[in-house]
Structure formats: structure tokens, C-alpha cells
Amino acid sequence: MSSETVRRTDVLVVGGGCGGVAAVLSLVSKGVSCILTEPTDWLGGQLTSQGVPPDEHRWIEGDDGFFGATRRYVAFRGAVRSWYRRHGRLSADARADRRLNPGGGWVSRLCFDPAVGERVLRDMLQPHIECGRLEVLCGANPVRAELNNDRVASVVFRTATGVTSVDAKYVLDATEFGDLYPLVGCRFMLGAEGSDVFGEMHGRGDLGGSTDPADQQAISWCFALEHCPGEDHTIDQPASYESWRSFVPELTPPWPGPLFSWDIDDATDPRHLPMIPPPDEPAEGELELWRYRRLVAGHLHDPPKCDVSLWNIVQTDYFRRPAIAPGSDPYLHRDDVLAEAKEQARCFVRWLQTDAPRHDDGHGYPELKLAGDCLGTSDGFAKAVYVREPRRLLAETILTEKQVGIDQRVADGVDRPGLGERFADSVGIGHYMIDLHPTAAGRNSVYVKAAPFEVPLGALLPKAGQPGSANLIAAGKAIGVSHVANGCTRLHPVEWTIGEAAGSLAAWCLARDVRPHEVRENLGELQGFQASLADDGVELSWPDRVAEGVEEGELR
């Protein structure tokens, strides 16, 4: 018989991804008690359970400086390197490398084993768990919210052992899909907006002033492959293999052929060279598929190991159906869609092993072995699907392409288009290209330049008067942002920054007995809160020299 329990805390953080963990670290550092819930048994979201090495901008660890990330995010990166130096059995040269990149991947200056990242995050949280300030509930999915006027009074979770209700003074949504919003009754945006809704250059021109809820970015079920020369690790053929192998997407602009192909982009694009793995270390500036998100660089170890690479590429993008259904049930059709996404990924593994054209002639790489150790699974697939686009909060401020898109800012004639719009209520900064993957409504990828931007506090707050607006704060990807702008706000360090800001805001409101909207509306409160963020190592604006580099084309 299932049990029902009730817990009480100062702050409830729903979702243990980048934003949720960052929020909790900020809260406990200020002495606030909190409960963190997570559907899987791993913390870290896209950093860990979803298996995606961090997509970061060039200044996080560039030759011209180290900025554009919070002090805690930088500490996490340093702790990952320290773990490898203590436990990784590295070669002497690798251990001595100040900028050690354990995976040697080129998507980031720090590609690492997701299992190591999860361990490091747990170590960062453990002292606060031991002192009783933090409780972590894994395997918990929110299914209902109880309201008291405009406050979220409690959130009810389904767990393996029954039902748990958590009463809290503040509730933070750090879920991957923005799942709290329909449960609370808070208004949100779903899918793509027409170009007239926000006046965006890359909004849907055919929609005008309306929206298309089905126009959601693809989800991807990532997997890890180990290269085992001379061995055969071909998996059994999935039931839907022939269907996926011949699948030709119907997208606008048109897709050039079958989804499972190397000929998706310009053949001269080195990111899509099918060299698995390349025979030698790459030449200067050479970028290729195997090293794109490599997690284990075998040559950095003593004794050497086999390489392991994480696969999250367009061939694994699932866009046949939207992952989020409109309406009040956050889980409607989700299990079916996730199962289809994982089946697609499994079929792509089979294609790689049997039918993919090889770089050295012939077809298939049977020596590729699904590797679950990095991902904490027995089948080599990530614990959770990679989510690019959640429900997005109908917030006090909606961040759009007009504020972050370089081409649009140039066309609009704004001063210094190489920097995003300045916000008086900035609570953090971020940067990435506007990177939109194919969508379930048949729109092909969009990849255009974005300016380094500021995150306004208003994007974290539901519009006043909505259900939950008194104490609900966005703490992850599901902030007030347009479909287009989501393409540059969904990445790891930005989500972390949003989480820290949300956690700090809840702590500030508790300490001063003010509401989040009052912090934004009262200049004294706002400036005091921003000063506290700065003291915590959260940068609120970009230096002018960044704009100069961006305007000269130096983005990543």
C-alpha cells in the first residue's frame, strides 16, 4: 500500500538540473533550508543525466580572459578537473595541464565523463545534506499543486513509494519541461511565435500574430560509444530500423535526403566528417565528428584507454511529434514520445555499426560499443532525454531576438549591436548562438549570431496577478523567453546563472519579508539585491571590449 507524507521547507526547488542545483547552492550558502526534487536518480540535468558536455561561450575560458560565468559555475569546472587529477589515472603531462580537457572534445574546453560531473555536484551538496539544511528527493515527479490565493502553497509529487506533498514559502521551477506551470495554472508560451508577436526577424512569417504550439525544437536521446578496434559490438536490429533508415524528413527549408546520412550539411563542413575515430590528433583548426563531444580521450590516461564519445547530433534529433502537449496535463503523451526518441537513437546506433559509410571505405563501424559507465546506465543511453525547449513562462519581461539577435539589432539600427540590450534589473549574463534544431512543425534548423546578453529579473517572474505569481520563480530554461531567443538561453552556463539568481532572490525575499515583484519594482531593493549577487560572484553585465570582439566576428 502506498504511503502519503507531508514535508515542509522554506524553499522547494523542483528539478535537479543545472538550474536547480545552482539555485540550491545559492540558497544553502545563505542558511536557507530547502528541498530539491528530481525525476531521475542523478543531479545535473544536461550536464549529467542527459549526457551533454557543456556548450559554453569562448570567454568562459578564453585566451583573453575568464569571465561570463558565475563563481560557483567556475568552481564546479575546477572541481571536475581536480577530481581527474586525484582519481583519473592521467598521464603526467595531462595531470600537469592547467587547462586539462579530460575528453579532448572540441565543443567545450572541458568535456568530461557525466558520471564524474554528477559525483562532483553531489560532493558540493553533501555538507548541506549532512547538516540538515538540504533534502534531496530523487525519483519524484510533480503531479499537482495546491494554491492559496496567488501563492503556491504546496506541490504534490509521485514517487516510487507513494505520494509526497511539500509545503514551501517559495517554489522554484527548474524542471526540464516547465512542468509546474500547467499544474499551478500559471500562463506560459508553447511552441513558436509568429513574426508579428514580438517583431522577430526569425519568427514564423506565415503565422503573423499567432503561435504554433507544435513548433517545438527536437528532443534528443543521447548515448555514448566506446571505440574498441578489432571487436564486433553490433546490436540487434531494432524493430523499426528499416523505417528509420529510410526516413526522409519533410522540412522547410528542404532536407537533402535520408535523416541517417553524412550528407546533411555542406560536405566541406569539417564537423560532419565521418572519421570514427580519426587516425591521428587533429591538425590546427580541424574539427570532426568523433571528437565533437568526446568524453574520454584515451591517450590522456596511463595506461591508455579506449576513446568514448557522446553522440548528440542532428541525426538523433526526434521531431516527428512535439514532446509537450498543450493543456493542463504535463505528462500527456510524453512516455510515448520519449520511447520513440530512444528507439530512433537505438536505430542510429545500429546504422553507425552496419550501414554508415566509413572514412576508410566500406560501411559500418561494428567496433563501436555502447558504453553505459559514463552515463550510469546498463544500455549506454543517457538516463534522461535532452530537452532543448520547455514551456516558457509568460513573464514580466520576455527576452526576444530584438534584444539578443545581432542581425536584427543591426537591422534595427541599435547602438552597439554586438552587445544585447542592457536591463536595469539584470541578474546575470550569458551567450551562445541562436541555435534552433528542427521542429515538430516541420521547420528546419536556424543558426544565427547572437550578442552576449543580460538576463533580466523580469524574465524569472510570472506576470503579476497570475496564479502562483506571489512565490513562484523560474530557475531554469523555462524563463520568459521567445521560441527564437530560447536558442541561446538554454545552454548549461546560462541555465546555471538563472538558477543562482532565482535561489538568491528567494533567499533575499525570505530575509527581508518582501515579494519578488517588489524587489524588481523598488529601486532600493533591486540595487541591494543586485549588489548581493555581485558579492556572490554573479556578473551582471558584459565588459565593452566583448562587444568590440563580437562586432569583429569573434563569437566562439
Side-chain angles (χ1 to χ4, degrees), residues 9 36 48 52 57 62 79 109 113 120 124 135 152 157 191 193 255 279 296 326 346 351 356 388 400 477:
T9 188
L36 173 65
T48 59
V52 184
H57 59 74
R109 293 174 176 84
D113 181 332
V120 169
M124 294 172 75
E135 182 178 5
V152 182
F157 297 86
E193 295 86 21
W255 198 273
V296 177
R346 189 176 291 109
W351 183 82
R388 295 181 175 87
T400 74
K477 286 177 287 194

PDB file of all heavy atoms in Angstrom, residues 9 36 48 52 57 62 79 109 113 120 124 135 152 157 191 193 255 279 296 326 346 351 356 388 400 477:
ATOM      1  N   THR A   9       9.270  23.140   4.151  1.00  0.00           N
ATOM      2  CA  THR A   9      10.582  23.739   3.980  1.00  0.00           C
ATOM      3  C   THR A   9      10.423  25.208   3.622  1.00  0.00           C
ATOM      4  O   THR A   9       9.310  25.659   3.299  1.00  0.00           O
ATOM      5  CB  THR A   9      11.366  23.001   2.869  1.00  0.00           C
ATOM      6  OG1 THR A   9      12.706  23.475   2.837  1.00  0.00           O
ATOM      7  CG2 THR A   9      10.707  23.209   1.505  1.00  0.00           C
ATOM      8  N   LEU A  36      15.111  19.747  -2.663  1.00  0.00           N
ATOM      9  CA  LEU A  36      15.360  19.652  -4.099  1.00  0.00           C
ATOM     10  C   LEU A  36      14.788  18.332  -4.597  1.00  0.00           C
ATOM     11  O   LEU A  36      15.103  17.268  -4.058  1.00  0.00           O
ATOM     12  CB  LEU A  36      16.861  19.708  -4.371  1.00  0.00           C
ATOM     13  CG  LEU A  36      17.325  19.464  -5.818  1.00  0.00           C
ATOM     14  CD1 LEU A  36      16.824  20.586  -6.729  1.00  0.00           C
ATOM     15  CD2 LEU A  36      18.854  19.374  -5.880  1.00  0.00           C
ATOM     16  N   THR A  48      24.708  16.002 -16.857  1.00  0.00           N
ATOM     17  CA  THR A  48      24.950  14.657 -16.344  1.00  0.00           C
ATOM     18  C   THR A  48      23.921  13.644 -16.838  1.00  0.00           C
ATOM     19  O   THR A  48      24.214  12.815 -17.684  1.00  0.00           O
ATOM     20  CB  THR A  48      24.953  14.677 -14.802  1.00  0.00           C
ATOM     21  OG1 THR A  48      23.681  15.160 -14.336  1.00  0.00           O
ATOM     22  CG2 THR A  48      26.049  15.577 -14.256  1.00  0.00           C
ATOM     23  N   VAL A  52      25.106  15.620 -21.868  1.00  0.00           N
ATOM     24  CA  VAL A  52      25.591  16.583 -22.858  1.00  0.00           C
ATOM     25  C   VAL A  52      26.760  17.391 -22.287  1.00  0.00           C
ATOM     26  O   VAL A  52      26.574  18.167 -21.354  1.00  0.00           O
ATOM     27  CB  VAL A  52      24.461  17.548 -23.282  1.00  0.00           C
ATOM     28  CG1 VAL A  52      24.951  18.481 -24.380  1.00  0.00           C
ATOM     29  CG2 VAL A  52      23.245  16.766 -23.753  1.00  0.00           C
ATOM     30  N   HIS A  57      30.427  29.567 -24.100  1.00  0.00           N
ATOM     31  CA  HIS A  57      30.954  30.615 -24.964  1.00  0.00           C
ATOM     32  C   HIS A  57      32.470  30.735 -24.788  1.00  0.00           C
ATOM     33  O   HIS A  57      33.059  30.167 -23.864  1.00  0.00           O
ATOM     34  CB  HIS A  57      30.247  31.946 -24.672  1.00  0.00           C
ATOM     35  CG  HIS A  57      30.386  32.411 -23.258  1.00  0.00           C
ATOM     36  ND1 HIS A  57      31.550  32.927 -22.758  1.00  0.00           N
ATOM     37  CD2 HIS A  57      29.487  32.441 -22.225  1.00  0.00           C
ATOM     38  CE1 HIS A  57      31.382  33.270 -21.487  1.00  0.00           C
ATOM     39  NE2 HIS A  57      30.141  32.976 -21.137  1.00  0.00           N
ATOM     40  N   GLY A  62      38.833  31.676 -22.175  1.00  0.00           N
ATOM     41  CA  GLY A  62      39.486  32.141 -23.383  1.00  0.00           C
ATOM     42  C   GLY A  62      40.862  32.701 -23.116  1.00  0.00           C
ATOM     43  O   GLY A  62      41.249  32.948 -21.965  1.00  0.00           O
ATOM     44  N   ALA A  79      36.452  21.872  -9.880  1.00  0.00           N
ATOM     45  CA  ALA A  79      36.327  20.644  -9.096  1.00  0.00           C
ATOM     46  C   ALA A  79      36.346  19.411  -9.994  1.00  0.00           C
ATOM     47  O   ALA A  79      36.844  18.349  -9.597  1.00  0.00           O
ATOM     48  CB  ALA A  79      35.042  20.686  -8.273  1.00  0.00           C
ATOM     49  N   ARG A 109      35.879  23.560 -23.817  1.00  0.00           N
ATOM     50  CA  ARG A 109      37.237  23.417 -23.289  1.00  0.00           C
ATOM     51  C   ARG A 109      37.276  22.477 -22.095  1.00  0.00           C
ATOM     52  O   ARG A 109      38.333  22.250 -21.515  1.00  0.00           O
ATOM     53  CB  ARG A 109      37.793  24.793 -22.907  1.00  0.00           C
ATOM     54  CG  ARG A 109      38.028  25.701 -24.106  1.00  0.00           C
ATOM     55  CD  ARG A 109      38.446  27.099 -23.679  1.00  0.00           C
ATOM     56  NE  ARG A 109      38.771  27.946 -24.820  1.00  0.00           N
ATOM     57  CZ  ARG A 109      37.883  28.630 -25.533  1.00  0.00           C
ATOM     58  NH1 ARG A 109      36.599  28.572 -25.204  1.00  0.00           N
ATOM     59  NH2 ARG A 109      38.251  29.376 -26.544  1.00  0.00           N
ATOM     60  N   ASP A 113      33.399  13.032 -18.298  1.00  0.00           N
ATOM     61  CA  ASP A 113      32.506  11.913 -18.037  1.00  0.00           C
ATOM     62  C   ASP A 113      31.319  12.419 -17.210  1.00  0.00           C
ATOM     63  O   ASP A 113      31.507  12.965 -16.123  1.00  0.00           O
ATOM     64  CB  ASP A 113      33.318  10.869 -17.259  1.00  0.00           C
ATOM     65  CG  ASP A 113      32.569   9.612 -16.922  1.00  0.00           C
ATOM     66  OD1 ASP A 113      31.338   9.668 -16.794  1.00  0.00           O
ATOM     67  OD2 ASP A 113      33.229   8.573 -16.766  1.00  0.00           O
ATOM     68  N   VAL A 120      30.794  15.126  -8.621  1.00  0.00           N
ATOM     69  CA  VAL A 120      31.272  16.423  -8.147  1.00  0.00           C
ATOM     70  C   VAL A 120      30.119  17.266  -7.603  1.00  0.00           C
ATOM     71  O   VAL A 120      30.234  17.897  -6.539  1.00  0.00           O
ATOM     72  CB  VAL A 120      32.007  17.160  -9.283  1.00  0.00           C
ATOM     73  CG1 VAL A 120      32.272  18.620  -8.913  1.00  0.00           C
ATOM     74  CG2 VAL A 120      33.322  16.461  -9.609  1.00  0.00           C
ATOM     75  N   MET A 124      29.556  18.745  -3.778  1.00  0.00           N
ATOM     76  CA  MET A 124      29.306  20.144  -3.455  1.00  0.00           C
ATOM     77  C   MET A 124      28.094  20.299  -2.544  1.00  0.00           C
ATOM     78  O   MET A 124      28.037  21.214  -1.704  1.00  0.00           O
ATOM     79  CB  MET A 124      29.102  20.939  -4.749  1.00  0.00           C
ATOM     80  CG  MET A 124      30.343  21.013  -5.628  1.00  0.00           C
ATOM     81  SD  MET A 124      30.049  21.769  -7.267  1.00  0.00           S
ATOM     82  CE  MET A 124      29.916  23.506  -6.819  1.00  0.00           C
ATOM     83  N   GLU A 135      17.466  18.688   1.715  1.00  0.00           N
ATOM     84  CA  GLU A 135      16.965  17.337   1.494  1.00  0.00           C
ATOM     85  C   GLU A 135      16.773  17.156  -0.012  1.00  0.00           C
ATOM     86  O   GLU A 135      16.217  18.022  -0.678  1.00  0.00           O
ATOM     87  CB  GLU A 135      15.640  17.111   2.216  1.00  0.00           C
ATOM     88  CG  GLU A 135      15.109  15.691   2.058  1.00  0.00           C
ATOM     89  CD  GLU A 135      13.804  15.456   2.814  1.00  0.00           C
ATOM     90  OE1 GLU A 135      13.263  16.423   3.387  1.00  0.00           O
ATOM     91  OE2 GLU A 135      13.334  14.300   2.828  1.00  0.00           O
ATOM     92  N   VAL A 152       1.625  29.590  -4.353  1.00  0.00           N
ATOM     93  CA  VAL A 152       1.689  28.132  -4.399  1.00  0.00           C
ATOM     94  C   VAL A 152       1.914  27.656  -2.966  1.00  0.00           C
ATOM     95  O   VAL A 152       2.961  27.925  -2.378  1.00  0.00           O
ATOM     96  CB  VAL A 152       2.830  27.639  -5.309  1.00  0.00           C
ATOM     97  CG1 VAL A 152       2.834  26.108  -5.363  1.00  0.00           C
ATOM     98  CG2 VAL A 152       2.697  28.211  -6.702  1.00  0.00           C
ATOM     99  N   PHE A 157       4.015  15.296  -5.209  1.00  0.00           N
ATOM    100  CA  PHE A 157       4.889  14.507  -6.061  1.00  0.00           C
ATOM    101  C   PHE A 157       4.518  13.035  -6.006  1.00  0.00           C
ATOM    102  O   PHE A 157       4.144  12.507  -4.942  1.00  0.00           O
ATOM    103  CB  PHE A 157       6.358  14.648  -5.618  1.00  0.00           C
ATOM    104  CG  PHE A 157       6.890  16.034  -5.741  1.00  0.00           C
ATOM    105  CD1 PHE A 157       6.703  16.961  -4.715  1.00  0.00           C
ATOM    106  CD2 PHE A 157       7.565  16.443  -6.886  1.00  0.00           C
ATOM    107  CE1 PHE A 157       7.198  18.241  -4.823  1.00  0.00           C
ATOM    108  CE2 PHE A 157       8.046  17.732  -7.000  1.00  0.00           C
ATOM    109  CZ  PHE A 157       7.865  18.634  -5.973  1.00  0.00           C
ATOM    110  N   GLY A 191       5.772  26.434 -28.039  1.00  0.00           N
ATOM    111  CA  GLY A 191       5.995  26.427 -29.475  1.00  0.00           C
ATOM    112  C   GLY A 191       6.484  27.769 -29.986  1.00  0.00           C
ATOM    113  O   GLY A 191       7.020  28.594 -29.238  1.00  0.00           O
ATOM    114  N   GLU A 193       6.354  31.517 -32.036  1.00  0.00           N
ATOM    115  CA  GLU A 193       5.526  32.700 -32.251  1.00  0.00           C
ATOM    116  C   GLU A 193       5.670  33.179 -33.693  1.00  0.00           C
ATOM    117  O   GLU A 193       6.732  33.035 -34.318  1.00  0.00           O
ATOM    118  CB  GLU A 193       5.963  33.837 -31.316  1.00  0.00           C
ATOM    119  CG  GLU A 193       5.756  33.561 -29.840  1.00  0.00           C
ATOM    120  CD  GLU A 193       6.896  32.809 -29.207  1.00  0.00           C
ATOM    121  OE1 GLU A 193       8.011  32.836 -29.774  1.00  0.00           O
ATOM    122  OE2 GLU A 193       6.685  32.166 -28.152  1.00  0.00           O
ATOM    123  N   TRP A 255      15.043  19.122 -46.460  1.00  0.00           N
ATOM    124  CA  TRP A 255      16.111  18.221 -46.022  1.00  0.00           C
ATOM    125  C   TRP A 255      16.671  17.540 -47.271  1.00  0.00           C
ATOM    126  O   TRP A 255      15.923  17.166 -48.175  1.00  0.00           O
ATOM    127  CB  TRP A 255      15.519  17.189 -45.067  1.00  0.00           C
ATOM    128  CG  TRP A 255      16.512  16.485 -44.212  1.00  0.00           C
ATOM    129  CD1 TRP A 255      17.214  15.359 -44.509  1.00  0.00           C
ATOM    130  CD2 TRP A 255      16.902  16.850 -42.892  1.00  0.00           C
ATOM    131  NE1 TRP A 255      18.012  14.994 -43.474  1.00  0.00           N
ATOM    132  CE2 TRP A 255      17.854  15.892 -42.454  1.00  0.00           C
ATOM    133  CE3 TRP A 255      16.549  17.893 -42.035  1.00  0.00           C
ATOM    134  CZ2 TRP A 255      18.446  15.938 -41.191  1.00  0.00           C
ATOM    135  CZ3 TRP A 255      17.135  17.935 -40.782  1.00  0.00           C
ATOM    136  CH2 TRP A 255      18.075  16.966 -40.364  1.00  0.00           C
ATOM    137  N   PRO A 279      42.422   8.965 -37.284  1.00  0.00           N
ATOM    138  CA  PRO A 279      43.616   8.168 -37.047  1.00  0.00           C
ATOM    139  C   PRO A 279      44.685   8.878 -36.238  1.00  0.00           C
ATOM    140  O   PRO A 279      45.494   8.237 -35.579  1.00  0.00           O
ATOM    141  CB  PRO A 279      44.108   7.863 -38.467  1.00  0.00           C
ATOM    142  CG  PRO A 279      43.522   8.949 -39.324  1.00  0.00           C
ATOM    143  CD  PRO A 279      42.211   9.280 -38.701  1.00  0.00           C
ATOM    144  N   VAL A 296      35.954  10.670 -23.147  1.00  0.00           N
ATOM    145  CA  VAL A 296      37.185  10.037 -22.672  1.00  0.00           C
ATOM    146  C   VAL A 296      38.209  10.098 -23.803  1.00  0.00           C
ATOM    147  O   VAL A 296      37.992   9.514 -24.872  1.00  0.00           O
ATOM    148  CB  VAL A 296      36.956   8.567 -22.261  1.00  0.00           C
ATOM    149  CG1 VAL A 296      38.278   7.923 -21.849  1.00  0.00           C
ATOM    150  CG2 VAL A 296      35.933   8.473 -21.135  1.00  0.00           C
ATOM    151  N   PRO A 326      -0.260  20.506 -25.510  1.00  0.00           N
ATOM    152  CA  PRO A 326      -0.976  21.624 -24.886  1.00  0.00           C
ATOM    153  C   PRO A 326      -1.932  21.108 -23.810  1.00  0.00           C
ATOM    154  O   PRO A 326      -2.335  19.943 -23.830  1.00  0.00           O
ATOM    155  CB  PRO A 326      -1.746  22.241 -26.053  1.00  0.00           C
ATOM    156  CG  PRO A 326      -1.074  21.738 -27.280  1.00  0.00           C
ATOM    157  CD  PRO A 326      -0.547  20.379 -26.949  1.00  0.00           C
ATOM    158  N   ARG A 346      18.467   4.371 -30.873  1.00  0.00           N
ATOM    159  CA  ARG A 346      18.937   2.978 -30.957  1.00  0.00           C
ATOM    160  C   ARG A 346      19.116   2.569 -32.419  1.00  0.00           C
ATOM    161  O   ARG A 346      20.091   1.889 -32.776  1.00  0.00           O
ATOM    162  CB  ARG A 346      17.933   2.060 -30.246  1.00  0.00           C
ATOM    163  CG  ARG A 346      18.416   0.635 -30.095  1.00  0.00           C
ATOM    164  CD  ARG A 346      17.428  -0.202 -29.303  1.00  0.00           C
ATOM    165  NE  ARG A 346      17.380   0.212 -27.891  1.00  0.00           N
ATOM    166  CZ  ARG A 346      16.374   0.846 -27.326  1.00  0.00           C
ATOM    167  NH1 ARG A 346      15.302   1.172 -28.046  1.00  0.00           N
ATOM    168  NH2 ARG A 346      16.418   1.167 -26.060  1.00  0.00           N
ATOM    169  N   TRP A 351      22.710   1.832 -37.323  1.00  0.00           N
ATOM    170  CA  TRP A 351      23.155   2.361 -38.617  1.00  0.00           C
ATOM    171  C   TRP A 351      24.657   2.646 -38.595  1.00  0.00           C
ATOM    172  O   TRP A 351      25.378   2.311 -39.543  1.00  0.00           O
ATOM    173  CB  TRP A 351      22.375   3.627 -38.946  1.00  0.00           C
ATOM    174  CG  TRP A 351      22.701   4.228 -40.281  1.00  0.00           C
ATOM    175  CD1 TRP A 351      22.214   3.860 -41.501  1.00  0.00           C
ATOM    176  CD2 TRP A 351      23.597   5.331 -40.523  1.00  0.00           C
ATOM    177  NE1 TRP A 351      22.742   4.652 -42.485  1.00  0.00           N
ATOM    178  CE2 TRP A 351      23.593   5.563 -41.920  1.00  0.00           C
ATOM    179  CE3 TRP A 351      24.384   6.133 -39.703  1.00  0.00           C
ATOM    180  CZ2 TRP A 351      24.356   6.573 -42.501  1.00  0.00           C
ATOM    181  CZ3 TRP A 351      25.150   7.141 -40.281  1.00  0.00           C
ATOM    182  CH2 TRP A 351      25.125   7.353 -41.655  1.00  0.00           C
ATOM    183  N   ALA A 356      26.658   2.882 -42.007  1.00  0.00           N
ATOM    184  CA  ALA A 356      27.270   4.198 -42.198  1.00  0.00           C
ATOM    185  C   ALA A 356      28.495   4.099 -43.097  1.00  0.00           C
ATOM    186  O   ALA A 356      29.355   3.235 -42.892  1.00  0.00           O
ATOM    187  CB  ALA A 356      27.669   4.784 -40.847  1.00  0.00           C
ATOM    188  N   ARG A 388      15.579  20.668 -25.227  1.00  0.00           N
ATOM    189  CA  ARG A 388      16.057  21.991 -25.639  1.00  0.00           C
ATOM    190  C   ARG A 388      15.065  23.106 -25.312  1.00  0.00           C
ATOM    191  O   ARG A 388      15.462  24.205 -24.961  1.00  0.00           O
ATOM    192  CB  ARG A 388      16.337  22.000 -27.150  1.00  0.00           C
ATOM    193  CG  ARG A 388      17.478  21.075 -27.548  1.00  0.00           C
ATOM    194  CD  ARG A 388      17.747  21.111 -29.040  1.00  0.00           C
ATOM    195  NE  ARG A 388      18.912  20.300 -29.352  1.00  0.00           N
ATOM    196  CZ  ARG A 388      18.866  18.993 -29.588  1.00  0.00           C
ATOM    197  NH1 ARG A 388      17.703  18.357 -29.580  1.00  0.00           N
ATOM    198  NH2 ARG A 388      19.966  18.322 -29.850  1.00  0.00           N
ATOM    199  N   THR A 400      13.674  38.463 -26.268  1.00  0.00           N
ATOM    200  CA  THR A 400      13.399  38.101 -27.654  1.00  0.00           C
ATOM    201  C   THR A 400      14.624  38.347 -28.531  1.00  0.00           C
ATOM    202  O   THR A 400      15.649  38.882 -28.083  1.00  0.00           O
ATOM    203  CB  THR A 400      12.214  38.901 -28.212  1.00  0.00           C
ATOM    204  OG1 THR A 400      12.646  40.251 -28.469  1.00  0.00           O
ATOM    205  CG2 THR A 400      11.037  38.914 -27.252  1.00  0.00           C
ATOM    206  N   LYS A 477      15.571  26.678 -17.640  1.00  0.00           N
ATOM    207  CA  LYS A 477      15.396  27.101 -19.034  1.00  0.00           C
ATOM    208  C   LYS A 477      14.028  27.719 -19.293  1.00  0.00           C
ATOM    209  O   LYS A 477      13.842  28.428 -20.288  1.00  0.00           O
ATOM    210  CB  LYS A 477      15.575  25.895 -19.950  1.00  0.00           C
ATOM    211  CG  LYS A 477      17.013  25.435 -20.095  1.00  0.00           C
ATOM    212  CD  LYS A 477      17.144  24.193 -20.946  1.00  0.00           C
ATOM    213  CE  LYS A 477      16.657  22.960 -20.246  1.00  0.00           C
ATOM    214  NZ  LYS A 477      17.058  21.701 -20.904  1.00  0.00           N
TER     215      LYS A 477
END
